[in-house]
């Protein structure tokens, strides 16, 4: 069943090529819906045990896949948000065919990333998600899309090169028979070689987390993507660096991770504060969301690099659910753009014409700035609490970003929704039924997992415990 989950979206994308006209949208919706249902069935079964088969035996590459609690939660969020994206794009994007196909392809790539238990297989899925992201930017992007596309590709390809070299180094120095994670963990690396190999992984994952100073592609990527917000949602889910550090870097390089822990936590704390400060200066909603996401990813990195049970659990919780509320906020920006023709923050007066859209957007922002009772609070509070046990000063510095988030989010929200509407503008429509369904779904998930976090933590905690026990924690 895990294979069905991984490849149903890709098969649906392939069928879109041979499907005429308006039927494409219904086929895309069916593909994402079916993948989500399969994911729910896997959740009922408690995931999927790791299965390994030789793939390229001469190179030691295996087809090794599995779904434990952490992977299961991340695949559930991915398939859920992909379904919302396809629903929105199908009925709100002009010429939706290529976008729907690329969303489906990216969904398969992301599901493959979370299921992979072989380094090279992970690398292949990691790179596979790059292609649909670039294609969507190239087809639907803004006037400066070539510059954004080039920057994104250069950062990603160079980062991936470091990761590939480190992967080859891991197998070479460990003497393992294959790139399968289980084989590599059975042959621990000499601490003398771990540091350089870990830095290779961190460089690659810092591009995709992203983390300062390797985030340069992020603002242009989001600003130039299609104003519907659909490619941005998939880009939000694309921030898989935190998962890569947790799944591969920490268990493969335990001594180096311990040695560099404070340095990496300091970089993560700086990223969080730096991004929050830059977000405060933005007058474009998509750039603001990009920097807000960067700040959240700094917190994810802080939690993962702390190697503390509470902080790591919180980081993975944050990684999963920020994909829901931040993704929905990108779609909300798309809804505002469809009414005003602008993604700027200075429009004003939206609350008067579109109170339902405004209210749902405000609730999603409350989740993003970690208001208690919503999902963002559980993740961020856990990261702070756990990081404090490792380094109180770094936890304090990163904690300042929570205050900064309230400042930049509410200031921008006030300008767009509460300030006086410009004279001469026509009456704007409030939210449609489909738009309401999409935003309400995200709000419900944020609310439920802000109040009742146990089911998600029950998925994350056993995997975190096993990893930290393996590190000697």
């Amino acid at each position: 069943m895990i294979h069905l989950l991984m490849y149903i979206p890709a098969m649906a994308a392939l069928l879109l090529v041979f499907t005429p006209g308006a039927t494409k949208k219904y086929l895309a919706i069916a593909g994402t819906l079916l993948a989500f249902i399969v994911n729910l069935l896997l959740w009922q079964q408690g995931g999927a045990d790791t299965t390994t088969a030789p793939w390229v035996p001469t190179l030691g590459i295996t087809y090794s896949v599995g779904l434990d609690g952490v992977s299961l939660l991340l695949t559930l969020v991915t398939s859920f948000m992909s379904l919302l994206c396809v629903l929105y794009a199908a009925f709100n994007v002009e010429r939706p065919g290529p976008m729907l196909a690329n969303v489906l392809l990216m969904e398969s790539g992301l599901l493959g990333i979370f299921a992979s238990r072989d380094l090279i297989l992970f690398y292949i899925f990691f790179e596979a998600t790059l292609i649909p992201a670039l294609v969507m930017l190239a087809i639907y992007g803004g006037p400066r899309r070539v510059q954004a596309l080039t920057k994104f590709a250069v950062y990603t390809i160079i980062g991936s090169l470091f990761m590939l070299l480190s992967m080859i180094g891991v197998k070479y120095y460990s003497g393992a028979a294959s790139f399968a994670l289980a084989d590599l963990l059975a042959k621990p690396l000499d601490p003398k070689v771990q540091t350089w190999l870990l830095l290779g992984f961190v460089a690659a994952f810092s591009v995709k987390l992203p983390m300062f100073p390797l985030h340069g592609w992020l603002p242009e990527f989001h600003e130039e993507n299609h104003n519907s917000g659909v490619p941005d949602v998939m880009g939000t889910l694309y921030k898989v660096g935190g998962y890569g550090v947790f799944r591969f870097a920490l268990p493969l390089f335990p001594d180096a991770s311990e040695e560099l822990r404070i340095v990496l936590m300091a970089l993560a704390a700086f990223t969080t504060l730096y991004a929050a400060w830059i977000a405060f200066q933005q007058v474009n909603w998509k750039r603001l969301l990009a920097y807000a996401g960067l700040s959240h990813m700094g917190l994810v990195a802080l939690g993962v690099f702390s190697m503390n049970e509470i902080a790591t659990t919180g980081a993975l919780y944050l990684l999963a659910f920020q994909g829901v509320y931040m993704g929905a906020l990108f779609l909300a920006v798309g809804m505002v753009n469809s009414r005003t023709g602008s993604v700027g923050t200075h429009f004003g007066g939206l609350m008067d014409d579109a109170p339902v859209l405004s209210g749902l957007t405000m609730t999603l922002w409350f989740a993003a700035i970690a208001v208690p009772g919503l999902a963002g609070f559980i993740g961020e509070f856990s990261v702070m609490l756990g990081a404090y046990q490792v380094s109180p000063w770094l936890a304090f510095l990163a904690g300042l970003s929570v205050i900064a988030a309230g400042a930049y989010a509410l200031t921008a929200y006030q300008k767009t929704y509460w300030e006086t509407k410009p004279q001469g503008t026509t009456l704007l429509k409030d939210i449609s039924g489909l738009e309401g369904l999409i935003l309400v779904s995200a709000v419900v998930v944020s609310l439920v997992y802000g109040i009742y976090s146990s089911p998600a933590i029950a998925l994350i905690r056993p995997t975190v415990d096993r990893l930290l026990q393996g590190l000697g924690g």
Side-chain angles (χ1 to χ4, degrees), residues 209-220:
L209 247 171
M211 204 162 71
F212 181 89
L214 300 176
H215 67 287
W217 59 273
L218 183 71
E220 284 80 7

Side-chain angles (χ1 to χ4, degrees), residues 196-263:
W196 291 108
L197 295 175
L198 172 63
L199 290 175
F201 271 75
V202 169
F205 291 139
S206 293
V207 174
K208 295 287 181 71
L209 247 171
M211 204 162 71
F212 181 89
L214 300 176
H215 67 287
W217 59 273
L218 183 71
E220 284 80 7
F221 174 81
H222 284 299
E223 185 178 9
E224 293 303 313
N225 254 320
H226 191 257
N227 282 335
S228 66
V230 171
D232 301 296
V233 178
M234 301 312 290
T236 302
L237 300 169
Y238 192 36
K239 294 169 183 172
V240 294
Y243 173 79
V245 170
F246 169 80
R247 176 66 65 192
F248 295 106
L250 295 185
L252 286 172
F253 316 113
D255 300 295
S257 299
E258 177 65 33
E259 183 182 345
L260 297 176
R261 172 159 63 169
I262 295 299
V263 175

